[in-house]
């Protein structure tokens, strides 16, 4: 399909392991967003890219979290030395243009990360 | 302070009836957008409706309408003629012009439609 895809859909990691979560936005979409959604809560903003530039990373909870989008399309969210509190669904979204108040964001299905 | 507040953790509605989901927000920006999303148990976030802060008319999209009361900083979602497939989690979100890359979400309301 032509929507946002994320892989893997489910990831189980042992505490201390590094994980990498992938997001394929809709082709041609300029903006890409990452969110963290803990169980029973709303999504929390992590970071935002406009093409390959990371314009806002204020939501990344610690320096163990790192995101990149080197060619302005696919993005990877990396979590180093995972902790149990990192267990959540990680949502990726993209929008056609640069981020503006009224732009619609299209969400992927999410990656459910469980840290044991 | 919470930027988006959804005070109803859970709501029930009878099939074919209307239901209102509450959302209040807090911002000092003059320009901002308000969004409602539906998240079924499968997990995907589905965009429902958008209201801009300068829009004079309340937004409507099919069975969804947004009751926007700017002075009260509220943006309630009204679903008319509820269907069983409307059972899901509903999130209110805001984007402010001073930081348009960042959406702020409420904690959601779980809606259950009874047959």
């Amino acid at each position: 399909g032509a929507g946002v895809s994320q892989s893997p859909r489910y990831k189980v990691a042992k505490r201390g392991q590094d994980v990498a979560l992938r997001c394929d936005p809709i082709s041609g979409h300029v903006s890409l967003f990452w969110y963290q959604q803990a169980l029973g809560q709303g999504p929390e903003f992590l970071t935002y890219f406009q093409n390959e530039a990371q314009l806002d990373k204020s939501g990344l909870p610690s320096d163990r979290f790192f995101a990149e989008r080197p060619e302005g399309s696919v993005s990877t969210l990396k979590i180093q030395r995972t902790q149990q509190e990192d267990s959540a669904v990680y949502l990726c979204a993209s929008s056609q243009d640069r981020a503006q108040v009224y732009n619609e964001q299209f969400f992927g299905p999410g990656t459910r990360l469980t840290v044991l | 302070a919470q930027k988006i507040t959804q005070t109803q953790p859970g709501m029930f509605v009878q099939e074919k009836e209307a239901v209102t989901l509450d959302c209040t927000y807090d911002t000092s920006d003059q320009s901002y957008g308000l969004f409602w999303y539906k998240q079924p148990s499968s997990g995907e976030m589905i965009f429902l409706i958008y209201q801009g802060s300068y829009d004079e008319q309340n937004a409507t999209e099919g069975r969804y309408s947004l009751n926007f009361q700017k002075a009260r900083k509220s943006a309630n979602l009204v679903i008319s003629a509820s269907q069983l497939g409307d059972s899901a989690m509903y999130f209110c979100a805001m984007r402010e012009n001073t930081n348009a890359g960042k959406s702020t979400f409420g904690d959601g309301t779980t809606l259950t439609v009874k047959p």
Side-chain angles (χ1 to χ4, degrees):
Chain A
V4 178
S5 60
Q6 293 186 245
S7 60
R9 291 292 315 278
Y10 303 90
K11 176 70 179 176
V12 178
K14 290 185 179 177
R15 191 166 52 132
Q17 280 185 333
D18 298 349
V19 298
L21 312 180
R22 177 187 168 109
C23 173
D24 284 79
I26 294 173
S27 178
H29 274 200
V30 166
S31 298
L32 186 145
F33 310 84
W34 283 99
Y35 296 89
Q36 179 191 58
Q37 186 176 19
L39 189 64
Q41 296 183 19
E44 295 270 354
F45 170 82
L46 293 177
T47 187
Y48 152 58
F49 290 87
Q50 181 177 306
N51 297 309
E52 67 277 5
Q54 190 174 20
L55 297 190
D56 187 344
K57 55 181 181 179
S58 62
L60 296 176
S62 77
D63 58 7
R64 296 186 296 104
F65 287 71
F66 172 76
E68 59 183 4
R69 195 186 184 200
E71 295 177 1
S73 55
V74 171
S75 178
T76 304
L77 176 67
K78 298 179 179 177
I79 308 173
Q80 296 177 324
R81 305 181 304 281
T82 51
Q83 305 292 316
Q84 284 190 317
E85 62 262 29
D86 300 335
S87 295
V89 174
Y90 290 85
L91 294 168
C92 175
S94 70
S95 64
Q96 188 169 11
D97 297 313
R98 64 179 180 85
Q100 298 181 70
V101 163
Y102 52 82
N103 284 5
E104 183 176 347
Q105 293 184 8
F106 298 84
F107 282 81
T111 294
R112 182 177 296 277
L113 172 65
T114 304
V115 181
L116 303 177
Chain B
Q2 282 271 61
K3 287 210 167 188
I4 297 285
T5 303
Q6 295 182 253
T7 57
Q8 307 152 313
M11 288 283 285
F12 291 89
V13 65
Q14 207 66 37
E15 193 178 8
K16 299 180 186 175
E17 295 195 344
V19 63
T20 298
L21 307 184
D22 294 341
C23 173
T24 57
Y25 61 92
D26 183 28
T27 181
S28 55
D29 273 30
Q30 296 301 307
S31 175
Y32 52 89
L34 297 157
F35 301 78
W36 277 92
Y37 292 89
K38 172 183 179 182
Q39 189 175 46
S41 55
S42 51
E44 75 271 28
M45 295 287 282
I46 302 167
F47 165 77
L48 296 178
I49 196 166
Y50 164 79
Q51 179 84 43
S53 58
Y54 291 119
D55 295 342
E56 294 186 352
Q57 304 263 7
N58 284 344
T60 60
E61 289 283 351
R63 294 187 298 111
Y64 304 108
S65 60
L66 201 152
N67 184 359
F68 181 45
Q69 297 187 42
K70 194 170 180 177
R72 296 180 61 187
K73 293 190 174 177
S74 76
N76 298 339
L77 177 70
V78 180
I79 305 175
S80 62
S82 297
Q83 302 171 356
L84 295 178
D86 293 336
S87 294
M89 192 82 158
Y90 288 80
F91 291 99
C92 179
M94 176 174 66
R95 218 177 290 160
E96 297 165 291
N97 191 51
T98 52
N99 192 359
K102 178 177 179 178
S103 294
T104 302
F105 287 78
D107 284 336
T109 296
T110 302
L111 177 66
T112 303
V113 181
K114 296 178 169 181

